[in-house]
Amino acid sequence: MRQHRTMAGLLGALLLLAAGLSSTGATTAAAASRAPRPLGRIVPAPASVAPGGSPYTITSTTAIRVDAATGAEGRRIAGYLADVLRPSTGYALPVRADGSGGIRLRLSGDARLGEEGYRLESGRSAITVTAHRPAGLFHAVQTLRQLLPASVERRTRQPGPWQVAGGTITDTPRYAYRGAMLDVSRHFFTPAQVERYIDQLALYKVNRLHLHLSDDQGWRIAIDSWPRLATYGGRTQVGGGKGGYYTKADYRRIVRYAASRYLEVVPEIDTPGHTNAALASYASLNCDGVAPPLYTGTDVGFSSLCVPKEVTYAFLDDVVRELSALTPGRYIHIGGDEAHSTPHTDYVAFMDKAQAVVAKYGKTVMGWHQLTGARPVAGAVAQYWGTAGDEAEVVAAAKAGTRLVMSPANRAYLDMKYDATTKLGLDWAGLVDVDRSYAWDPSTFIKGLPSGSVLGVEAPLWSETLTTSADVEYMAFPRLPGIAEIGWSPASTHSWPDYRSRLAEQGPRLAALGVNFYRSPVVPWE
Ligand code: ACM
């Protein structure tokens, strides 16, 4: 696969060079504006590219074809593709089950493409997308969007032509877990705002949405057996605004929307620290029986559930039971970070019980990597958010079988300022411009990890300073696509000079989509 890519890349470069040499001046510029984007110039970089042959041109007579065997999910994905392409092309693009030519989506028995891989073949008469599972077809649709001119993303009719270069992309992800986290506790984001972010994540083949649903400043999910968590604990946020929470119907809507974009929701209830909103909602949860006031500041480490009290575990059981019933995904994230007000022996005892509750409801434990300083259960996933990569307890846990999701704060935290002039965000893990955010490898960031212990990557976005979708997008873009690439693309494709120029080409695309992105000076934007 890698050898193939190298050869194909070399061939592609030679063809480009030849094209550049054989034309000059104005003809080059005109041709460049009409020439299809070279196959493979997408984010994340595909695993294998073999350019060649004639381009495919989408015209007024193009149909999207899904054979009957590909089923209802395939037809839904075809409809999603049509919804992307129709407004800008102005073409009807009917979705059909029969005929030949056009854009064809098909599922095959080729298990080598895995749960998420796909093959996209483009030639004069057709584009044929093949996957083993629907998620692969969906990811291929994202690839196809990026192979078309950026103006395809506009919602009004644009001039064509709508060409896709000839050749074949064969693409499967490096890591199974490619996540993004949104902190909806420090500031609340509505279901519509979360859905907007989901659509943006899907563009880059992200497949997990971690929702940080509780913290000191707000509890954001309705729990029927403890209603005040949401109705009282959800009524404010950082800075004292009105906060908010998701009803169960809201949360189900988010889960369904995420699933329609092939993202699994990972809900987090942060424990035993980061719990002031819960402690404020129920006096009984406090060791002294006194509820603290709601909190709207940004300090951390001051709150703790009461580890010796039985009611703590009744609360936890109810919350995890109700949340598990709402969540089709496999994980429940129990936090475990910055429990500075919980004595260590209490922390270990608490995490033992919390993990058992997650198992009781059939879910897999996720926790921030401080869980590795306690006793992670078999199958637990620890989310690494350190900066040094030298934490002995993390390596020891990985050697004992704990799998890791990598979110090093000085690379993957989307809330770090880009530079000293960035108005939004924090800087405790340093200033992280786009090049620094891309400069790491999940398998080697922590020294001495056994191979296979990294399950994937995640880009968390903490919202102490963020109040609008425009704020979220400004911090996420353009770093999120880089983390997504680190999660999807083979290590052999990792190259800042190459990535920088592919990312530059995303600028007009993000602009066409109305995404508010930071025009970092380290990227040569188109
Ligand atoms: C964290 O940033 N406290 C996980």
Side-chain angles (χ1 to χ4, degrees), residues 487-509:
W488 177 281
S489 306
S492 59
T493 65
H494 191 89
S495 153
W496 169 248
D498 180 68
Y499 176 67
R500 182 177 53 185
S501 71
R502 278 183 292 110
L503 181 59
E505 294 165 8
Q506 297 292 309
R509 198 163 297 275

Side-chain angles (χ1 to χ4, degrees), residues 186 270 274 300 337-338 368 370 385 409 413 428 462:
R186 270 52 175 273
D270 204 346
H274 290 280
V300 298
D337 59 319
E338 297 177 309
W368 297 104
Q370 282 70 25
W385 62 283
Y413 266 34
W428 64 263
W462 300 98

Side-chain angles (χ1 to χ4, degrees), residues 147-514:
L147 292 172
L148 288 161
S151 57
V152 80
E153 301 296 349
R154 296 203 179 277
R155 301 292 80 190
T156 56
R157 194 161 176 173
Q158 306 293 316
W162 305 105
Q163 288 201 314
V164 175
T168 300
I169 292 176
T170 308
D171 204 7
T172 53
R174 179 178 182 190
Y175 291 114
Y177 188 116
R178 306 176 308 280
M181 187 206 81
L182 187 61
D183 171 10
V184 296
S185 177
R186 270 52 175 273
H187 283 101
F188 181 66
F189 294 94
T190 64
Q193 288 176 306
V194 176
E195 289 174 2
R196 180 177 166 89
Y197 197 44
I198 288 169
D199 276 332
Q200 295 163 357
L201 300 173
L203 291 170
Y204 298 102
K205 304 185 173 77
V206 169
N207 68 355
R208 303 283 186 268
L209 175 68
H210 169 183
L211 289 174
H212 185 75
L213 290 169
S214 71
D215 212 303
D216 292 319
Q217 297 86 348
W219 184 284
R220 306 300 181 203
I221 178 72
I223 300 293
D224 296 336
S225 50
W226 297 73
R228 272 175 63 82
L229 291 170
T231 59
Y232 180 75
R235 68 165 62 156
T236 192
Q237 58 188 2
V238 167
K242 73 179 176 44
Y245 66 89
Y246 305 125
T247 64
K248 288 191 167 179
D250 290 336
Y251 180 83
R252 284 197 191 93
R253 169 183 153 182
I254 292 169
V255 166
R256 264 198 311 275
Y257 195 86
S260 77
R261 272 72 177 147
Y262 296 90
L263 279 88
E264 176 179 326
V265 171
V266 179
E268 178 187 356
I269 298 297
D270 204 346
T271 62
H274 290 280
T275 42
N276 189 77
L279 297 168
S281 302
Y282 287 95
S284 63
L285 291 176
N286 296 271
C287 283
D288 63 3
V290 178
L294 293 170
Y295 182 69
T296 61
T298 58
D299 288 346
V300 298
F302 62 87
S303 57
S304 179
L305 291 172
C306 185
V307 174
K309 264 189 164 177
E310 274 311 310
V311 68
T312 296
Y313 306 98
F315 156 82
L316 203 61
D317 194 285
D318 287 334
V319 169
V320 172
R321 173 173 45 78
E322 292 193 31
L323 194 55
S324 296
L326 290 172
T327 302
R330 69 206 91 176
Y331 301 109
I332 298 286
H333 198 307
I334 54 173
D337 59 319
E338 297 177 309
H340 305 321
S341 300
T342 316
H344 185 68
T345 49
D346 277 6
Y347 178 81
V348 175
F350 176 87
M351 291 313 251
D352 283 349
K353 291 191 176 180
Q355 293 181 93
V357 171
V358 172
K360 176 178 171 188
Y361 293 106
K363 299 297 186 184
T364 297
V365 171
M366 259 188 97
W368 297 104
H369 76 260
Q370 282 70 25
L371 174 62
T372 63
R375 290 186 285 247
V377 294
V381 175
Q383 184 170 6
Y384 179 78
W385 62 283
T387 58
D390 62 358
E391 292 81 351
E393 71 276 17
V394 175
V395 176
K399 285 183 174 158
T402 298
R403 288 164 307 155
L404 300 175
V405 166
M406 296 298 296
S407 305
N410 51 0
R411 299 292 190 281
Y413 266 34
L414 300 175
D415 59 310
M416 290 300 117
K417 290 177 183 292
Y418 293 99
D419 67 22
T421 71
T422 309
K423 292 202 171 60
L424 299 170
L426 307 177
D427 62 4
W428 64 263
L431 300 171
V432 184
D433 211 330
V434 182
D435 47 353
R436 181 165 170 78
S437 180
Y438 186 77
W440 62 289
D441 184 318
S443 70
T444 57
F445 189 89
I446 299 175
K447 272 69 80 185
L449 283 184
S451 73
S453 54
V454 174
L455 185 61
V457 301
E458 185 177 296
L461 183 49
W462 300 98
S463 65
E464 286 92 335
T465 66
L466 313 178
T467 60
T468 64
S469 284
D471 292 349
V472 165
E473 290 161 25
Y474 187 81
M475 299 311 281
F477 294 93
R479 288 179 292 197
L480 183 278
I483 304 302
E485 170 150 316
I486 287 169
W488 177 281
S489 306
S492 59
T493 65
H494 191 89
S495 153
W496 169 248
D498 180 68
Y499 176 67
R500 182 177 53 185
S501 71
R502 278 183 292 110
L503 181 59
E505 294 165 8
Q506 297 292 309
R509 198 163 297 275
L510 292 171
L513 285 160

